[in-house]
Amino acid sequence: MLELYGTSLRSRLLLGTARFPSPAVLTAAVRASRAEVVTVALRRESGGERAGQGFWSIIRELGVRVLPNTAGCHSVREAVSTAHMAREVFATAWIKLEVIGEEDTLQPDVFGLTEAARILCAEGFEVFPYTTEDLVVADRLLAAGCRVLMPWGAPIGSGRGLNNLFGLTALRAHFPAVPLIIDAGIGVPSHAARALELGFDAVLINTAIAQAGDPARMAAAFAQAVEAGRAARRAGPIEPRDLAAPSTPVIGTAFRE
């Protein structure tokens, strides 16, 4: 079981709800993914075509937990205000905190992020910060009160997978007891499996499923990949070697002089 702020979850796949071609496709994808948590960008949904009771009724019928998102915020003040609105709308202390600092890569503004996290944690929010793999930033976020971290694998929507394996591996090793969820950049199920094999606790997927040719089928593939990656991690993978190691032993086998 995955535990996030005292909530136990069976699934280690979280699903974003943006960019799906229709509510019906979104519904099918969420069900196929077996996800128990979906993210919702308050500003996007309140101003988009799916605003109103139609979209929220879909979420309620699916029986999933909502993780509101401050997507699109570029300042501490903007992110904190959006979080306050999200708490009122969704009646939850959970908030996925984004403070974007660079437009081309959508890289987090880690300075604004840590400040916003400090404010929100002090106000009783349970913060899921979208961050980088930087160890110092991670330490500051934990000191601010965060109990979960969401490092990026690659820029949002890029589908590049895990760009910095060294940095992500170091992050996992430095904070072994902290739930770490890879957020952003995952493009195919093998990327998700790799993340779980490295010891990360979960992945958050949006674009790779929403923009797939068959979102429901892709969601099911990601669900299987996450389970396989987790099982492989628990099974204890062998360490990589530079030289070959024969799988068939020589001692005791027949030979000819």
Side-chain angles (χ1 to χ4, degrees), residues 90-114:
F90 298 107
T92 178
W94 280 19
I95 190 72
K96 179 173 179 275
L97 180 62
E98 290 187 22
V99 182
I100 300 301
E102 204 281 322
E103 286 294 339
D104 291 333
T105 62
L106 299 179
Q107 180 170 328
D109 170 3
V110 295
F111 305 101
L113 179 69
T114 52

Side-chain angles (χ1 to χ4, degrees), residues 71-130:
C73 294
H74 291 76
S75 70
V76 173
R77 181 177 180 181
E78 193 177 16
V80 170
S81 296
T82 302
H84 287 159
M85 289 188 289
R87 183 160 61 179
E88 292 183 13
V89 170
F90 298 107
T92 178
W94 280 19
I95 190 72
K96 179 173 179 275
L97 180 62
E98 290 187 22
V99 182
I100 300 301
E102 204 281 322
E103 286 294 339
D104 291 333
T105 62
L106 299 179
Q107 180 170 328
D109 170 3
V110 295
F111 305 101
L113 179 69
T114 52
E115 175 61 15
R118 183 189 63 77
I119 294 170
L120 293 174
C121 287
E123 294 179 346
F125 283 88
E126 295 174 333
V127 178
F128 295 68
Y130 164 61

Side-chain angles (χ1 to χ4, degrees), residues 5-257:
Y5 287 107
T7 296
S8 296
L9 304 170
R10 294 182 298 275
S11 174
R12 293 174 181 268
L13 174 59
L14 287 68
L15 191 65
T17 57
R19 304 186 68 182
F20 281 87
S22 72
V25 173
L26 169 62
T27 298
V30 173
R31 287 176 174 160
S33 73
R34 303 195 296 275
E36 298 171 85
V37 176
V38 299
T39 63
V40 176
L42 176 66
R43 290 157 38 127
R44 182 188 297 122
E45 299 305 339
S46 63
E49 295 179 358
R50 293 181 295 178
Q53 293 302 313
F55 180 72
W56 306 128
S57 65
I58 291 173
I59 299 300
R60 286 194 295 269
E61 288 172 7
L62 287 169
V64 292
R65 180 162 187 146
V66 172
L67 174 58
N69 190 355
T70 65
C73 294
H74 291 76
S75 70
V76 173
R77 181 177 180 181
E78 193 177 16
V80 170
S81 296
T82 302
H84 287 159
M85 289 188 289
R87 183 160 61 179
E88 292 183 13
V89 170
F90 298 107
T92 178
W94 280 19
I95 190 72
K96 179 173 179 275
L97 180 62
E98 290 187 22
V99 182
I100 300 301
E102 204 281 322
E103 286 294 339
D104 291 333
T105 62
L106 299 179
Q107 180 170 328
D109 170 3
V110 295
F111 305 101
L113 179 69
T114 52
E115 175 61 15
R118 183 189 63 77
I119 294 170
L120 293 174
C121 287
E123 294 179 346
F125 283 88
E126 295 174 333
V127 178
F128 295 68
Y130 164 61
T131 183
T132 67
E133 67 275 18
D134 188 286
L135 298 177
V136 176
V137 175
D139 193 56
R140 298 288 175 84
L141 288 168
L142 294 173
C146 299
R147 291 163 51 194
V148 176
L149 299 177
M150 301 186 76
W152 67 348
I156 294 172
S158 67
R160 297 181 60 87
L162 307 179
N163 267 355
N164 185 358
L165 283 175
F166 174 81
L168 290 171
T169 302
L171 183 69
R172 177 71 285 175
H174 276 71
F175 303 101
V178 177
L180 300 178
I181 302 171
I182 293 292
D183 176 18
I186 289 180
V188 290
S190 60
H191 295 159
R194 182 61 171 146
L196 273 291
E197 289 169 358
L198 289 174
F200 286 86
D201 297 283
V203 292
L204 171 60
I205 313 292
N206 191 168
T207 306
I209 292 176
Q211 299 294 290
D214 186 336
R217 180 172 292 180
M218 186 63 77
F222 268 106
Q224 294 167 2
V226 167
E227 291 180 359
R230 174 67 175 173
R233 175 71 176 187
R234 297 187 69 185
I238 65 171
E239 292 294 329
R241 303 183 179 97
D242 292 328
L243 299 177
S247 57
T248 303
V250 175
I251 297 175
T253 59
F255 67 93
R256 180 180 299 174
E257 293 185 359

